[in-house]
Amino acid sequence: MNNILTKLPFVSNVRFRDAGTLVGLLLIALVFSILSPSFLTMPNIGNILQQSSINACIALGMTLVIISGGIDLSVGPVAALSATLGAAMMVAGVPVPIAMLGAIAVGVSCGFVNGALIAWGGLQPFIVTLGGLSLYRALALIYTGGTPIFGIPSEFRSIANGAVMGVPTPVIIVAILALIAWVVLTKTPLGEYLMAVGGNPEAARVAGVPVSLTKISAYMISGALASIASLILIGRLGAAEPTLGNLWELDAIAASAIGGASLMGGRGSIVGTLLGCVILGALRNGLTLLNVQAFYQLLATGIIIIVAMLIDRATSGK
């Protein structure tokens, strides 16, 4: 079956796009280093990477979902629900490792519900995850009564606020997750299945790919990574808010698109997604250093996303 999959037209080489994305990042760094001498200092670079880590965590899962031909608009609310339930367990005295696993299990469960409705229910990913966006946010608000949960244990907070040899812990966590995601996508049958299902689900089914289970797996991974991102954030903030994760899905989709993932499915890159996250982080950081107002930052982000989509269309030949 592997021979069949590698001959399908949607299995493509994304190194060219990764190189283009890297060039874009270097150009942004060059421009901001000229405009602001503090941009390329080590403390600021560390700040960019740390600020990008949460989006990167979400975007890794989003990339796998997009490659499979889907979309996940519910990652923000899934993160909020996971964070509030995980924080509540910690505050109630549940051991930190168990509470963390419980929070991740919430994300995996939400991902399974999304994936099952799409794969087995035959519903459109946009509609299912749009409904999940409201559903999971409502559950988080109902559970907390709309109020934040304080009292996160210091031993848990020390993980998110720590560093190893000067590298912030969140950056290390995301780097490990990215390596795992890269191995899954490029070295395992699941990665081949994701590419196949996103490129041509009918051809993949004929080739013997378990299409439904592949789609469900992608959404479960996305939910798990959303939960991990939420744990990183509440560890840094010391509180879990039911409104956490607002618009996270848009940043994740933007990073994936900038990194070369095709919103039509069948193509994407873990390296490209990470570069896309750093591009967004560097752009916002640089504009902040230049005292540019926030709505102009949104304008710049939107322009970059549109340009990335035009480049994707031109390079895909569609």
Side-chain angles (χ1 to χ4, degrees), residues 137-242:
R137 179 73 70 192
L139 290 175
L141 290 167
I142 292 170
Y143 179 75
T144 61
T147 59
I149 297 176
F150 296 98
I152 305 295
S154 58
E155 59 267 29
F156 173 72
R157 295 198 62 193
S158 64
I159 298 174
N161 294 309
V164 178
M165 299 180 64
V167 181
T169 304
V171 176
I172 296 174
I173 293 173
V174 171
I176 294 172
L177 293 173
L179 178 60
I180 295 172
W182 179 82
V183 170
V184 169
L185 186 60
T186 62
K187 305 296 183 181
T188 69
L190 179 58
E192 291 185 341
Y193 294 166
L194 290 169
M195 293 284 190
V197 170
N200 190 327
E202 291 305 318
R205 185 175 288 108
V206 171
V209 174
V211 175
S212 295
L213 292 180
T214 298
K215 291 182 178 181
I216 293 172
S217 297
Y219 284 95
M220 290 174 67
I221 293 172
S222 178
L225 291 175
S227 299
I228 294 173
S230 73
L231 290 173
I232 293 173
L233 183 61
I234 66 173
R236 290 174 58 185
L237 297 179
E241 298 185 11

Side-chain angles (χ1 to χ4, degrees), residues 9 40 47 57 82 92 105 112 117 126 154 176-177 181 242 258 270 272-273 278 280 309:
L40 283 184
N47 187 37
C57 193
S82 300
F112 175 79
L117 290 173
F126 181 88
S154 58
I176 294 172
L177 293 173
I258 292 170
I270 297 301
T273 294
V278 177
L280 290 176
M309 291 296 93

Side-chain angles (χ1 to χ4, degrees), residues 29-30 45 51 102 104 106 110 121 143 156 160 162 183 191 194 199 206-207 215 220 230 238 249 251 262 300 317:
L30 176 62
I45 292 175
Q51 290 176 346
I104 295 173
V106 172
C110 293
Y143 179 75
F156 173 72
V183 170
L194 290 169
V206 171
K215 291 182 178 181
M220 290 174 67
S230 73
E249 56 278 358
D251 282 345
S262 172

